[in-house]
Every structure is written in structure tokens, then in C-alpha cells.
Amino acid sequence: YPFILIDRIIKLIAGKEIVALKNVTINEAFFQGHFPGVPIMPGVLIVEAMAQAGGVLAIESLPAEQHGKLVYFMGMDKVKFRKPVVPGDQLIFQVQLLKLRSKAAKISGIATVDGNRVAEAELMASFGENK
């Protein structure tokens, strides 16, 4: 099963920002153990979904001849989790490109549910060649 945590891209402005969404459903495999009887989406997966949206933004912001590169998660700063995310929630990720270089990118993201901030982070990624 693909490890894709974004269901839809709502808005994409290359070089600037992306807005993406994830519908959180009870049939997600991680809810079996996190936590039995009290399903809460793991914070690391919220950050991963934010990073996936940021990866799309970063790749689409590169020149066309560089599209198709792999994006490697390098680091995260200023990560905060504000509220739990549970089945039935719709996560909206608003991600902005802070810096873009030929080999790396830095993004800033906010995750919301019903307009309320549930997480935020600054993330870094590097670009690699497909083998």
C-alpha cells in the first residue's frame, strides 16, 4: 500500500505555497494501536503528511528538467502539536516555501481541522536523483 498521506491538492502556486487535505478515517492502519479504544492520529504522521505536501510544492517549484527527483526528509524545527486529530477530521495543510536551492528546500507548514490549528512545523528536504 502506498505511504501517501495526502488525499487532494486544493491549491498549488509553484515557488510559493500549497494547500492540501487529508481525510482522516477510522480504517487507517495506525489506529489499531494508537490508541486502542481512543484513536488519535500520531503526530509524526501529521508531520509526514505536511512534508509530503511540501515535497510536492518543492518539486513543482524546481525547473521542469528537474521534476521527477526524489525528495528526502532532512530535518524539522519548531514542531508543535496543539490538538489531537481523530477519525472524521479533515486535515488541511497550508505549506509555504521558505527557501529553495538546487539541492535542498525549507518549508513552513500549518495543519488545521475546522479552522483550528492542530500542528505546525518548519521542515527541510534534499533532492536526489532517481536510480
Side-chain angles (χ1 to χ4, degrees), residues 65-84:
E65 63 272 8
Q66 294 182 331
H67 288 193
K69 286 190 168 191
L70 293 177
V71 181
Y72 298 105
F73 201 168
M74 284 178 38
M76 53 189 145
D77 291 319
K78 302 179 184 174
V79 178
K80 293 194 184 337
F81 301 105
R82 308 240 178 235
K83 295 183 179 190

Side-chain angles (χ1 to χ4, degrees), residues 9-28:
I9 304 297
I10 299 169
K11 176 181 173 183
L12 172 64
I13 301 173
K16 188 171 181 184
E17 68 179 325
I18 191 170
V19 179
L21 71 81
K22 161 94 177 127
N23 293 308
V24 181
T25 62
I26 192 64
N27 64 346
E28 310 275 359

Side-chain angles (χ1 to χ4, degrees), residues 93-105:
F93 298 98
Q94 298 169 305
V95 179
Q96 295 184 338
L97 191 61
L98 298 176
K99 289 183 184 178
L100 180 65
R101 306 273 192 258
S102 63
K103 297 201 183 240

